[in-house]
Amino acid sequence: MIRNLFIVVALFATTVASAQILRADELEEYAKEKYGDNWEDAATNLGSQLTLDKNNAITFQQVIEAPGKSKDDLYILLNYWFTSTFNDANSVITLNDKELGSIIAQGYVSSIAQHAGGTSTYDVSIKPVIKCDIKDEKIRVTYTLPFYSVVRMIGGGWMGALAGSNSTPTRSDENWALDSCFPFAAKDKHKKTSCKALVMAHAYSNVVMDKIEECVKNGLNGTEGDDW
């Protein structure tokens, strides 16, 4: 069920103990409010501001200041947030090193874009890598999207449906390289799907950054501190 903007904003503006990241339907509502509901126009505008890194991935980086908080203080807060957020089979922590001051996790948002073609259907998910480097009084957050993760159902398109085919579609798991997708590639046979995927992935990066900043500046649930 699509919630209104007030609820969506409240969800990521107030970090709760479970620290859940937005679901795809909530993320879509947020993306529409931020970028509009024309995915191609939004992707074209974003594409004019973005470049792929040397690995052909999209990377966003933000330094968050945290005056008065030591490296240990920040590690405790972030460790709690990461372990509460990335704790299932799809969203996992891949590195957690207190001495090094680094926490890395792989996020996951399913079904951010779908498309029914003539012979196949496509369901796009993202698996971004979120890294926090921790120092006294500041952290650096790096969000990297290496590709789109796509489930393609071959034989599940509209042509088979019109023909009344009773054959079972065949599943194919694919990774779509970003440099082959619009707007980084002008010719993209999945352009409509790629446009929405880019906008949703960008919106998710904003939400992740906002949640981490809220955690660093105000604590995970607002009750941390020595006054107890």
Side-chain angles (χ1 to χ4, degrees):
M1 180 178 66
I2 298 178
R3 305 184 181 185
N4 60 38
L5 177 62
F6 175 79
I7 295 176
V8 173
V9 172
L11 279 169
F12 70 82
T14 304
T15 307
V16 295
S18 61
Q20 293 297 310
I21 299 293
L22 298 183
R23 300 191 311 268
D25 58 344
E26 298 167 328
L27 184 62
E28 179 169 340
E29 189 68 11
Y30 168 68
K32 286 180 178 178
E33 292 293 336
K34 188 172 181 64
Y35 304 108
D37 56 7
N38 187 312
W39 303 117
E40 184 173 342
D41 286 349
T44 300
N45 290 334
L46 286 173
S48 67
Q49 308 166 32
L50 301 175
T51 56
L52 299 178
D53 65 21
K54 65 179 183 179
N55 298 312
N56 286 326
I58 296 174
T59 297
F60 306 108
Q61 199 167 79
Q62 179 180 345
V63 175
I64 300 172
E65 303 292 336
K69 290 187 171 70
S70 69
K71 179 180 177 181
D72 284 347
D73 293 335
L74 292 171
Y75 173 80
I76 291 170
L77 283 172
L78 289 168
N79 179 61
Y80 190 12
W81 185 83
F82 270 83
T83 54
S84 298
T85 303
F86 303 100
N87 58 6
D88 60 38
N90 293 308
S91 300
V92 296
I93 296 174
T94 58
L95 174 69
N96 191 339
D97 191 317
K98 182 177 181 180
E99 183 176 349
L100 184 63
S102 288
I103 304 176
I104 303 175
Q106 178 181 281
Y108 179 72
V109 187
S110 65
S111 302
I112 62 167
Q114 302 84 29
H115 176 65
T119 59
S120 299
T121 60
Y122 305 87
D123 189 354
V124 183
S125 302
I126 53 173
K127 298 178 179 179
V129 177
I130 298 103
K131 179 184 180 186
C132 276
D133 295 307
I134 308 166
K135 292 183 177 182
D136 288 339
E137 300 192 327
K138 65 181 178 180
I139 66 168
R140 181 178 62 191
V141 185
T142 305
Y143 172 104
T144 302
L145 182 69
F147 50 77
Y148 299 130
S149 180
V150 182
V151 174
R152 178 186 179 190
M153 299 303 293
I154 303 169
W158 56 265
M159 291 178 63
L162 287 176
S165 174
N166 293 321
S167 61
T168 302
T170 302
R171 173 171 174 153
S172 174
D173 292 289
E174 303 174 355
N175 292 332
W176 288 359
L178 300 184
D179 61 352
S180 67
C181 296
F182 187 86
F184 307 107
K187 294 183 179 180
D188 177 6
K189 62 182 179 180
H190 307 297
K191 180 178 179 179
K192 183 177 180 180
T193 311
S194 297
C195 286
K196 184 176 181 182
L198 176 68
V199 178
M200 292 282 280
H202 195 275
Y204 185 69
S205 75
N206 291 336
V207 172
V208 168
M209 297 289 189
D210 287 345
K211 282 184 172 288
I212 291 176
E213 184 171 14
E214 173 69 17
C215 175
V216 166
K217 292 186 175 180
N218 300 313
L220 191 64
N221 53 29
T223 62
E224 293 85 357
D226 296 327
D227 187 16
W228 57 277

